[in-house]
Amino acid sequence: TIDVVLAWLAAEDDGARRKIVELLAQRGESLNNIKSTLQEQLDGLQSTTTDEEQASKDMLSTLILFVQ
């Protein structure tokens, strides 16, 4: 859940993105770590989906594009 929030912040605000990148770097991490966890969440969703699951898939796919 935290990675989803961080991805949203990074996607919506350049200043927040810079700060997130800076803080991740202090831990030896990058936006790629967030991208990986988002991809894991996306991969874990069923192939046949409800409307709610499809909305989650769409959201995760979009966020993955923004954290590349």
Side-chain angles (χ1 to χ4, degrees):
T1 302
I2 291 172
D3 284 346
V4 170
V5 172
L6 290 174
W8 271 115
L9 289 170
E12 293 291 329
D13 185 286
D14 289 336
R17 182 185 186 94
R18 284 189 297 273
K19 189 63 173 180
I20 291 165
V21 168
E22 175 187 325
L23 292 171
L24 287 170
Q26 290 176 6
R27 297 178 52 170
E29 298 178 351
S30 70
L31 288 176
N32 284 333
N33 296 90
I34 292 176
K35 178 184 172 190
S36 294
T37 59
L38 296 177
Q39 187 64 54
E40 287 174 18
Q41 290 179 41
L42 180 60
D43 292 344
L45 293 173
Q46 301 285 336
S47 58
T48 56
T49 60
T50 64
D51 288 341
E52 184 177 320
E53 289 170 328
Q54 186 59 48
S56 292
K57 282 182 173 182
D58 293 344
M59 176 198 63
L60 288 169
S61 296
T62 300
L63 289 175
I64 288 167
L65 292 174
F66 278 106
V67 294
Q68 293 193 39

